[in-house]
Amino acid sequence: MKRRLTLVILLIATLGYAQKHKTQKNLVDFFLPMEPQAPLVSEGIWGAPNVLPRDINNGLEDAKLKDWCYWDGRIVKGDDNKYHFYGSRWNQKYSHADGWKHNSKAIHAVSDNVMGPYKDKGMIWPQWNEGEGCNVIGLRMKDGRYAVVTSETTEGEVFVSDTPDGPFKFLGKIQVDLNGYSKGLARYQNKKAPHYQHMSNVKIILRHDGRYMLIGRSTAVMISDNGILGPYKIMNDRIYRAYPELPQTRNEDPTIWYSGGMYHIVYNHWPSKTCHHFSSVDGITDWKYRGIAYKKGRDPIFRYTDGTENKWTFIERPTAFVENGHVTHFIFSVIDLGKGQDRPNDNHASKIVVVPFDGEAFDTYMQALLKAEESTLNKHKN
């Protein structure tokens, strides 16, 4: 009852702030039009009409589909002032389903511009499991080294290097302290394969307090006080559990970041193609629902400065790129038609798209919203 009353008070505060400032904003309202890195093209490239014309120099793609389909990833800025993308790819001779499940390899790509184009530099760890990697992300470690993480088709491994270009060496597997919670919050529980111990959708960030923070598909927050391998202690249940009006199953692809003095999680409810946004000041407790981040078919995310829009059929695997304390860009994995319709050696594929984001305005808005909520709570306490 007390929890419900608190949520009602916070809702009143949020609506009050929105009314005072004429509008309530969501994450999508801070996305910016994409400045083309080259003229938009339609001829001689892959893609259904809904993603044409487009900028093939935005992000990472094999425009003529000679070799690769791309997926996953996070951008890390190196000490060399270049932008390093760590993600995955598979040969276009496979369908989307066979590609990511059975042939996904961890790869490294580089660009002088955060928007791209990114040049594929090849597999990150060809010496380990023939380069296998999925749900691949990169990050800077506390000691300045570079780390790359893989999960989903693997158990949840970390590779490290002194330089962004590698070589990356196997550091170990991520360890978890259940802390009284269900194992399913951290790893798959598969009745048909009870020994299947893979983590999924793993995202790790270095917190502002120097600890490592991990979320996986469940969105349960896990904290490590003992380095990037953990053990990560599970700190809470799924963040949406306190909001029964939200879908409680079929959620995936969470991303996490810290900006403007608070932590944010965005995850995708894939049947409705709707992403939801939560925030927390300490990143562990009191996760508040901030509304729909964006919804496929409703929100024009992939707009160019000339008004052209690409309407990708699937928009997944979002990650936030933070620079100087604010999110400046979001990275998405996209495909031009239904995943089951992508066949081997056809004219359809997936790529990485980079979308600019007004992180300073977003953080200003969120700080004002938080201040309004705190003021309302204090009034009710008194």
Side-chain angles (χ1 to χ4, degrees):
M1 184 67 181
K2 184 178 180 181
R3 169 67 175 171
R4 179 61 60 181
L5 179 61
T6 301
L7 293 176
V8 171
I9 293 172
L10 289 175
L11 177 61
I12 293 171
T14 302
L15 293 176
Y17 176 81
Q19 185 177 17
K20 180 180 178 181
H21 293 267
K22 307 301 181 184
T23 182
Q24 180 179 351
K25 295 185 177 181
N26 294 322
L27 188 85
V28 70
D29 296 314
F30 299 91
F31 287 169
L32 300 172
M34 300 179 291
E35 182 71 40
Q37 305 305 299
L40 306 185
V41 294
S42 297
E43 301 297 326
I45 63 173
W46 60 266
N50 48 293
V51 300
L52 301 174
R54 71 171 179 273
D55 178 12
I56 61 175
N57 280 359
N58 176 298
L60 175 62
E61 73 169 283
D62 182 349
K64 296 186 181 298
L65 209 55
K66 293 181 178 179
D67 296 300
W68 311 116
C69 296
Y70 292 97
W71 205 250
D72 295 326
R74 184 191 279 165
I75 294 170
V76 178
K77 190 174 184 180
D79 291 336
D80 55 5
N81 284 322
K82 294 182 181 294
Y83 296 90
H84 297 263
F85 174 84
Y86 303 99
S88 66
R89 75 181 187 199
W90 53 85
N91 195 293
Q92 62 85 29
K93 68 182 181 181
Y94 299 105
S95 68
H96 183 90
D98 284 339
W100 81 261
K101 287 181 182 177
H102 307 299
N103 301 281
S104 185
K105 309 293 184 181
I107 62 100
H108 169 222
V110 183
S111 177
D112 293 323
N113 184 340
V114 66
M115 292 288 292
Y118 284 83
K119 183 178 181 180
D120 187 338
K121 307 293 285 187
M123 289 190 289
I124 303 175
W125 45 76
Q127 75 285 357
W128 186 84
N129 281 11
E130 299 182 336
E132 182 179 12
C134 185
N135 287 184
V136 177
I137 58 116
L139 71 151
R140 294 296 296 270
M141 296 173 63
K142 188 175 182 179
D143 61 9
R145 287 182 297 169
Y146 298 81
V148 180
V149 184
T150 172
S151 60
E152 183 65 44
T153 63
T154 67
E155 293 185 34
E157 292 83 4
V158 178
F159 298 78
V160 298
S161 172
D162 292 331
T163 73
D165 295 307
F168 281 85
K169 296 181 179 180
F170 178 68
L171 182 66
K173 296 180 181 180
I174 296 168
Q175 304 298 315
V176 177
D177 175 356
L178 297 182
N179 194 29
Y181 287 94
S182 166
K183 185 178 182 179
L185 293 177
R187 298 184 182 275
Y188 272 126
Q189 289 182 311
N190 192 318
K191 293 181 180 179
K192 295 182 179 180
H195 299 297
Y196 193 70
Q197 299 294 313
H198 291 200
M199 303 186 81
S200 177
N201 294 178
V202 168
K203 298 283 177 63
I204 297 176
I205 63 171
L206 182 62
R207 289 170 50 93
H208 73 287
D209 59 11
R211 296 186 291 174
Y212 288 96
M213 183 173 181
L214 183 154
I215 55 169
R217 178 170 290 176
S218 72
T219 72
V221 173
M222 307 177 211
I223 301 292
S224 170
D225 296 308
N226 193 38
I228 196 168
L229 291 180
Y232 287 86
K233 180 180 290 188
I234 300 179
M235 307 302 293
N236 52 26
D237 205 331
R238 296 166 174 84
I239 61 169
Y240 48 80
R241 184 57 62 84
Y243 294 83
E245 65 274 19
L246 294 177
Q248 298 293 302
T249 60
R250 299 182 179 182
N251 296 307
E252 64 177 9
D253 285 354
T255 190
I256 187 168
W257 73 92
Y258 178 78
S259 67
M262 67 182 78
Y263 292 85
H264 300 268
I265 289 178
V266 169
Y267 67 85
N268 178 38
H269 178 245
W270 61 263
S272 64
K273 297 182 180 179
T274 303
C275 283
H276 298 279
H277 175 208
F278 281 75
S279 72
S280 165
V281 173
D282 65 10
I284 299 173
T285 62
D286 202 21
W287 284 95
K288 298 182 178 67
Y289 182 53
R290 299 304 184 184
I292 294 175
Y294 53 86
K295 182 177 178 64
K296 169 70 177 63
R298 186 194 73 177
D299 299 318
I301 299 172
F302 305 101
R303 296 173 293 120
Y304 296 98
T305 50
D306 70 354
T308 301
E309 181 185 355
N310 294 150
K311 298 181 179 180
W312 296 95
T313 300
F314 275 86
I315 306 167
E316 299 189 356
R317 310 293 296 140
T319 56
F321 176 71
V322 179
E323 190 167 22
N324 298 322
H326 303 287
V327 176
T328 63
H329 297 80
F330 271 86
I331 301 93
F332 298 93
S333 300
V334 297
I335 186 170
D336 63 321
L337 77 180
K339 293 179 181 179
Q341 296 173 286
D342 178 32
R343 305 298 184 186
N345 297 310
D346 64 5
N347 196 45
H348 303 286
S350 56
K351 69 165 287 183
I352 308 302
V353 179
V354 183
V355 179
F357 186 80
D358 191 348
E360 291 190 35
F362 170 75
D363 288 334
T364 298
Y365 175 80
M366 290 301 301
Q367 289 166 357
L369 188 61
L370 185 63
K371 186 175 181 180
E373 291 172 347
E374 290 174 345
S375 176
T376 301
L377 283 173
N378 287 334
K379 287 181 181 178
H380 279 80
K381 288 179 180 179
N382 296 330

